[in-house]
């Protein structure tokens, strides 16, 4: 009898990059610099760009592709609504002619280290020019792909417009019914977020909003790296998600990486309106947060509040005046007063929270795919 040999499958490491959205040669250079950080990562198997490589400038697609071709690993890209050709002929609708010519595909699927990847062009004609959804031929193709995919196989669906924005979700619920391990990763919103997507009463999986490499459209003061601040409305900095897929029961782990920052810089704290507010970049709506000091722990609830960092930008915008805004448009980050999905905040009793002194305490955050722990800094 031959001896039994147990092989531990190597983890699969994937980078998900939202919306580079370059609008000019200068912004192509910003994107190239940010992509170089991805290129220098070790042990990466795949990069997925979540659409909007360019901002209605299909002539820049070749330049962005050349930068992505410098990556020492495989990469793919979903088409975005701003990657389409624009025609000035009456009645001629926008399409993906240039994108298809440059990239060679729109929809694609493959298996890498036991994980099924499905990349979709989910931008279709709509009442306002476009909407999120699939054509009938795409639905048939997707159904055939999932019909060949074992029910327990790890499956990652990537597209530009979030699946949650689709008008009709019944067909998707039918396609993914009984598939137990599915993850959707999308771009488009220029925000970072993670929540459960419920397609029907019995079909649900996590949807990740991947943020944008350009943040808020390459705007704002430049940092030491020469890139604009570009903070997003949710309070997350420019960046990307790093995912690690394994055969464990919790089959994927996530980390949001901020461009130009340390790898563990995922959490920021502010004292605002008398409350300690903690912003966890990439945190999930189901995540739990605790303030810890020694053996004492007290939970900090998630609050539907604007991120303190975003409010600081909004206040700066309000104070600069219209004339400066016109002459220095590139400094103006168009921040909206939106409620962030990844802010945790609590009322304090002076300098303590539930009797735990804020000074020197530690914040612990955890959800099913992410953990962050660091000393609180307000």
């Amino acid at each position: 009898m031959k001896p039994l040999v147990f092989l531990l499958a190597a983890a699969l490491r994937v980078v998900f990059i939202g919306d580079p959205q370059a609008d000019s040669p200068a912004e192509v250079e910003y994107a190239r610099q940010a992509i170089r950080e991805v290129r220098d990562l070790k042990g990466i198997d795949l990069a997925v760009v979540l659409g909007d490589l360019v901002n209605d400038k299909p002539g820049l697609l070749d330049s962005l592709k050349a930068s992505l071709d410098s990556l020492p690993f495989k990469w793919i890209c979903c088409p975005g609504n701003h990657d389409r050709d624009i025609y000035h002929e009456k009645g001629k609708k926008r399409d993906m002619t240039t994108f298809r010519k440059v990239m060679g595909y729109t929809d694609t699927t493959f298996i890498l280290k036991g994980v099924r990847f499905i990349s979709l062009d989910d931008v279709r004609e709509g009442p306002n020019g476009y909407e999120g959804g699939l054509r009938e031929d795409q639905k048939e193709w997707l159904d055939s792909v999932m019909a060949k995919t074992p029910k327990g196989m790890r499956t990652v669906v990537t597209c530009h417009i979030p699946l949650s924005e689709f008008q009709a979700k019944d067909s998707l619920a039918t396609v993914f019914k009984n598939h137990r391990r599915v993850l959707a990763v999308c771009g488009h919103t220029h925000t970072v977020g993670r929540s459960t997507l419920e397609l029907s009463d019995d079909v649900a999986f996590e949807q990740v909003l991947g943020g944008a490499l350009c943040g808020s459209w390459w705007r704002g003061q430049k940092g030491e790296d020469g890139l604009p601040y570009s903070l997003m409305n949710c309070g997350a900095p420019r960046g990307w998600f790093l995912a690690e897929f394994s055969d464990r029961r919790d089959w994927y782990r996530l980390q949001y990486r901020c461009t130009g920052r340390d790898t563990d810089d995922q959490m920021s704290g502010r004292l605002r309106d008398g409350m300690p507010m903690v912003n966890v970049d990439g945190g999930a709506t189901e995540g739990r947060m605790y303030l810890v000091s020694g053996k004492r722990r007290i939970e900090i609830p998630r609050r539907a509040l604007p991120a303190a960092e975003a409010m600081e930008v909004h206040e700066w915008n309000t104070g600069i005046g219209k004339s400066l805004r016109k002459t220095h448009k590139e400094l103006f980050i168009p921040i909206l007063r939106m409620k962030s999905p990844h802010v945790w905040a609590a009322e304090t009793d002076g300098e303590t929270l539930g009797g735990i002194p804020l000074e020197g305490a530690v914040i612990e955050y955890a959800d099913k795919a992410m953990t962050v722990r660091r000393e609180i800094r307000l």
Side-chain angles (χ1 to χ4, degrees):
M1 180 182 293
K2 294 182 179 180
L4 295 175
V5 178
F6 295 94
L7 296 178
L8 180 62
L12 172 67
R13 304 183 79 220
V14 181
V15 173
F16 295 99
I17 304 170
D19 305 50
Q21 207 156 339
D23 192 65
S24 64
E27 292 185 1
V28 169
E29 289 303 314
Y30 291 154
R32 281 177 174 166
Q33 183 170 334
I35 289 168
R36 279 198 289 270
E37 289 190 27
V38 177
R39 185 183 63 198
D40 293 339
L41 297 174
K42 304 300 182 183
I44 303 300
D45 298 288
L46 174 70
V48 181
V49 184
L50 303 168
D52 280 0
L53 273 172
V54 298
N55 189 31
D56 296 329
K57 302 288 177 60
L60 297 175
L61 282 170
D62 278 314
S63 297
L64 267 298
K65 182 179 183 296
S67 184
L68 289 162
D69 281 341
S70 72
L71 296 172
F73 40 80
K74 178 182 175 67
W75 68 272
I76 60 170
C77 181
C78 316
N81 57 291
H82 288 290
D83 291 325
R84 300 186 296 168
D85 288 289
I86 302 174
Y87 300 103
H88 300 290
E89 302 171 32
K90 187 176 181 179
K92 190 166 184 179
K93 297 179 179 179
R94 299 183 64 175
D95 61 31
M96 294 289 183
T97 298
T98 301
F99 184 95
R100 189 177 289 105
K101 180 180 178 181
V102 173
M103 300 298 169
Y105 61 87
T106 52
D107 300 323
T108 188
T109 184
F110 55 89
I111 296 172
L112 185 60
K113 288 189 177 180
V115 179
R116 162 77 73 184
F117 286 87
I118 302 171
S119 176
L120 294 170
D121 169 15
D122 68 339
V123 182
R124 68 183 186 187
E125 290 297 322
N128 296 314
Y130 72 90
E131 66 181 7
L134 303 177
R135 302 182 310 271
E136 288 303 317
D137 62 307
Q138 288 178 294
K139 294 177 184 177
E140 292 174 6
W141 173 79
L142 180 59
D143 188 53
S144 68
V145 169
M146 292 310 297
K148 299 173 185 176
T149 303
K151 301 300 183 185
M153 188 174 197
R154 296 164 294 169
T155 301
V156 180
V157 180
T158 59
C159 53
H160 181 62
I161 299 178
L163 301 180
S164 56
E165 295 188 13
F166 282 22
Q167 293 296 315
K169 303 181 182 66
D170 295 345
S171 57
L172 286 179
T174 301
V175 168
F176 293 109
K177 187 176 177 63
N178 298 323
H179 288 273
R180 302 187 302 277
R181 299 202 285 182
V182 180
L183 173 69
V185 189
C186 317
H188 188 57
T189 66
H190 292 253
T191 58
V192 174
R194 293 170 48 218
S195 59
T196 300
L197 172 65
E198 296 184 356
L199 296 177
S200 66
D201 291 340
D202 57 352
V203 180
F205 47 80
E206 185 172 43
Q207 175 179 266
V208 177
L209 302 181
L213 192 69
C214 71
S216 289
W217 301 274
W218 302 116
R219 301 272 284 272
Q221 300 273 2
K222 292 183 180 179
E224 293 181 0
D225 59 2
L227 297 182
Y229 182 33
S230 301
L231 188 78
M232 290 180 269
N233 287 319
C234 62
R238 289 179 281 100
W240 62 82
F241 271 98
L242 175 61
E244 185 171 293
F245 299 94
S246 70
D247 288 326
R248 296 188 299 264
R249 181 177 179 181
D250 296 330
W251 57 282
Y252 62 90
R253 301 290 297 170
L254 296 170
Q255 184 185 38
Y256 186 73
R257 293 283 186 91
C258 304
T259 307
R261 300 192 184 187
D262 293 338
T263 57
D264 60 350
D265 191 356
Q266 279 186 268
M267 182 189 295
S268 60
R270 297 284 196 280
L271 192 61
R272 188 177 178 90
D273 299 328
M275 292 191 297
M277 300 177 64
V278 182
N279 183 0
V280 181
D281 303 319
T285 54
E286 294 87 356
R288 306 286 292 273
M289 178 176 289
Y290 296 90
L291 183 69
V292 181
S293 180
K295 295 183 179 180
R296 302 175 65 191
R297 295 163 59 88
I298 185 168
E299 185 166 5
I300 300 176
R302 189 177 68 84
R303 299 280 186 94
L305 296 170
E309 296 90 336
M311 292 306 300
E312 290 168 3
V313 172
H314 179 76
E315 289 160 3
W316 185 86
N317 287 345
T318 304
I320 64 172
K322 292 183 178 179
S323 59
L324 184 61
R325 193 179 301 181
K326 288 180 179 179
T327 57
H328 292 79
K329 181 181 176 182
E330 75 281 2
L331 299 180
F332 176 75
I333 303 175
I335 288 287
L336 302 175
R337 290 173 57 92
M338 69 164 278
K339 295 175 181 177
S340 175
H342 43 79
V343 167
W344 282 257
E347 302 288 346
T348 65
D349 44 5
E351 297 181 351
T352 68
L353 178 61
I356 298 179
L358 297 176
E359 185 71 27
V362 169
I363 293 289
E364 290 183 352
Y365 167 85
D367 60 55
K368 65 180 182 180
M370 179 184 292
T371 56
V372 185
R373 187 180 192 276
R374 61 176 283 184
E375 183 176 332
I376 190 170
R377 302 169 194 166
L378 299 174

